Amino acid sequence: MLGENRNLTDFSSNDYLGVSKSKEIFKNAHQYLLDNNGVQNGATGSRLLSGNYSLYSLIEKDLSVFHNAEGALLFNSGYNANLGVFSSIPQRGDYILYDELIHASIRDGIQLSNARQFKFKHNDVSHLEERILFIKTEIKNNDSVIYVVTESVFSMDGDTPDLKEMVEICEKYQVFFIVDEAHSVGVFGKNGCGLVQELGLEKRVFARIITFGKALGCHGALVLGSRALQKYLVNFSRSFIYTTGLPPHALSTIKQVYKFIRSGSGAKSIKNLHENIDHFQNEIDRLQLDFINSNSAIHCCIVSGNERIKSIAKKMEYNGFDIKPILSPTVPEGKERLRFCLHNYNTKKEITQVLESLATFVI
Ligand SMILES: Cc1ncc(COP(=O)(O)O)c(C=O)c1O
């Protein structure tokens, strides 16, 4: 059921840095268009037809430098980007290995592909290696390309795989590695450049998918990789080709958000977010609450049963907190959870209060 935001303390939105409500970014994005001959309400067509105005290449160039990639391609959303990448790149006879908890947009992209697909156990590098060996030795199809996909921060668990180990396994078996950085950009790495870059792995990953609707508080997505990858997607990715481009105000906002995260205030917002994450973790320990291990802005308390979790979320709402219950089948049965999203604008007091309130219902 669709709900509207009420005046509750926000522990549910993906707006980790509070960017979506920034008047300054809103004003600057508008002013930039006025100053740069950019007054236009819509893109007017697909980027392959009339919709590719100059702000596109300006931003793609700038973001490819910031994210240290040869090529960058903007998509209308993270959903569209994942659909485009996974439906167009792996071919018949190829294999896609995906973490069992991978995001629905990647699953949908994989469903549209002609490649064969296998899942591996969540964040389990040994199981991933077993799966690769199975394809390499049992199936013995030497022409096949294998793709491995994971998320640097899992959207429903908030946890992180061992990306270094995964890169090493992928290199050992000459497998292409793709990382969805939706919940990592804006949170990890210098100026929020993401976990892959923080670990210095960007040149060892085939593609990264970045979304702007989470910590960056606006809209759209970016695929980072080689120039050949960028060119390929422009010509073969149907979710890129057969849709109207983003309107100029969306691009102008992306430009201003990236300016913000590279500024002193951006760095301060990221630092505040991490202080809140630390405080949240300390309070979990103090109250002896059972949460999935996470260093990200997403923290989950498993409480099994759809009815029980809905009832706790309702009581938390009555106490003034907006926290979303995540029900099965979105997560496996028995793994229903309360999903807490932390922000730079949550106060330490609010964090303590929300966890003390939770403790009265779950302990
Ligand atoms: C891991 C992950 N990838 C992709 C997406 C889709 O991004 P967008 O909201 O920009 O379509 C999401 C958002 O739900 C996500 O959590």
Side-chain angles (χ1 to χ4, degrees), residues 77-80 82 103 105-106 151 153 155 180 182-183 211-214 220-221:
S77 70
Y79 187 87
N80 272 27
N82 278 328
H103 192 260
S105 55
I106 297 174
E151 292 171 35
V153 171
S155 62
D180 181 323
H183 295 276
T211 61
F212 304 136
K214 320 294 181 197

Side-chain angles (χ1 to χ4, degrees), residues 59-69 72 197 224 262:
I59 292 178
E60 283 170 346
K61 200 157 175 234
D62 178 40
L63 299 194
S64 69
V65 173
F66 176 69
H67 287 293
N68 199 19
Q197 260 175 284
L224 296 163
R262 284 178 274 193

Side-chain angles (χ1 to χ4, degrees), residues 206-255:
F206 173 68
R208 282 174 279 164
I209 291 100
I210 284 171
T211 61
F212 304 136
K214 320 294 181 197
L216 302 189
C218 53
H219 196 88
L222 191 68
V223 177
L224 296 163
S226 66
R227 212 158 280 129
L229 171 69
Q230 181 189 20
K231 205 165 157 201
Y232 181 87
L233 290 170
V234 167
N235 290 296
F236 294 101
S237 165
R238 295 171 71 86
S239 65
F240 176 88
I241 300 167
Y242 296 107
T243 188
T244 300
L246 285 169
H249 57 84
L251 261 63
S252 186
T253 307
I254 295 166
K255 190 173 188 306

Side-chain angles (χ1 to χ4, degrees), residues 34-319:
L34 291 176
D35 294 346
N36 290 278
N37 205 16
V39 180
Q40 181 185 323
N41 295 318
T44 79
S46 160
R47 288 186 65 185
L48 279 166
L49 298 172
S50 60
N52 197 41
Y53 46 94
S54 60
L55 202 44
Y56 264 115
S57 54
L58 193 89
I59 292 178
E60 283 170 346
K61 200 157 175 234
D62 178 40
L63 299 194
S64 69
V65 173
F66 176 69
H67 287 293
N68 199 19
E70 210 181 89
L73 189 68
L74 287 160
F75 275 75
N76 285 8
S77 70
Y79 187 87
N80 272 27
N82 278 328
L83 226 57
V85 165
F86 291 96
S87 63
S88 69
I89 296 171
Q91 302 295 309
R92 193 177 298 283
D94 292 343
Y95 292 85
I96 307 170
L97 295 175
Y98 62 93
D99 187 290
E100 63 184 342
L101 299 189
I102 209 76
H103 192 260
S105 55
I106 297 174
R107 293 294 300 272
D108 289 359
I110 293 173
Q111 290 305 326
L112 290 172
S113 135
N114 288 317
R116 288 187 67 191
Q117 41 173 297
F118 293 105
K119 58 185 172 193
F120 57 91
K121 290 184 195 147
H122 181 51
N123 288 344
D124 188 334
V125 183
S126 319
H127 193 229
L128 168 65
E129 186 168 19
E130 257 175 51
R131 290 289 203 204
I132 297 174
L133 279 170
F134 172 76
I135 295 167
K136 293 253 176 202
T137 55
E138 305 258 333
I139 297 178
K140 289 198 184 86
N141 185 350
N142 291 334
D143 295 335
S144 299
V145 177
I146 303 175
Y147 297 88
V148 168
V149 54
T150 193
E151 292 171 35
S152 47
V153 171
F154 274 83
S155 62
M156 285 298 147
D157 286 45
D159 59 351
T160 293
D162 188 333
L163 289 174
K164 266 192 182 151
E165 222 184 315
M166 290 183 89
V167 163
E168 272 154 27
I169 295 281
C170 290
E171 285 176 344
K172 182 171 164 191
Y173 297 103
Q174 295 172 319
V175 161
F176 290 89
F177 190 34
I178 304 178
V179 185
D180 181 323
E181 294 241 78
H183 295 276
S184 140
V185 164
V187 177
F188 293 111
K190 185 162 184 274
N191 298 116
C193 61
L195 201 52
V196 169
Q197 260 175 284
E198 178 171 293
L199 298 170
L201 300 174
E202 63 271 27
K203 297 292 176 198
R204 297 165 72 186
V205 163
F206 173 68
R208 282 174 279 164
I209 291 100
I210 284 171
T211 61
F212 304 136
K214 320 294 181 197
L216 302 189
C218 53
H219 196 88
L222 191 68
V223 177
L224 296 163
S226 66
R227 212 158 280 129
L229 171 69
Q230 181 189 20
K231 205 165 157 201
Y232 181 87
L233 290 170
V234 167
N235 290 296
F236 294 101
S237 165
R238 295 171 71 86
S239 65
F240 176 88
I241 300 167
Y242 296 107
T243 188
T244 300
L246 285 169
H249 57 84
L251 261 63
S252 186
T253 307
I254 295 166
K255 190 173 188 306
Q256 296 306 324
V257 172
Y258 268 88
K259 190 171 168 197
F260 166 74
I261 60 169
R262 284 178 274 193
S263 70
S265 349
K268 190 159 173 280
S269 298
I270 296 172
K271 186 167 169 278
N272 288 346
L273 171 65
H274 282 279
E275 284 168 5
N276 281 345
I277 294 172
D278 289 346
H279 182 66
F280 192 89
Q281 288 169 332
N282 291 338
E283 290 298 76
I284 287 174
D285 290 345
R286 179 178 71 80
L287 295 161
Q288 299 184 335
L289 290 163
D290 197 10
F291 270 75
I292 296 174
N293 205 8
S294 154
N295 290 321
S296 72
I298 302 166
H299 288 257
C300 289
C301 177
I302 307 272
V303 182
S304 64
N306 277 352
E307 288 316 311
R308 181 151 183 244
I309 199 80
K310 275 199 281 190
S311 142
I312 295 175
K314 207 84 213 120
K315 288 176 192 156
M316 300 286 286
E317 183 186 313
Y318 183 76
N319 287 350

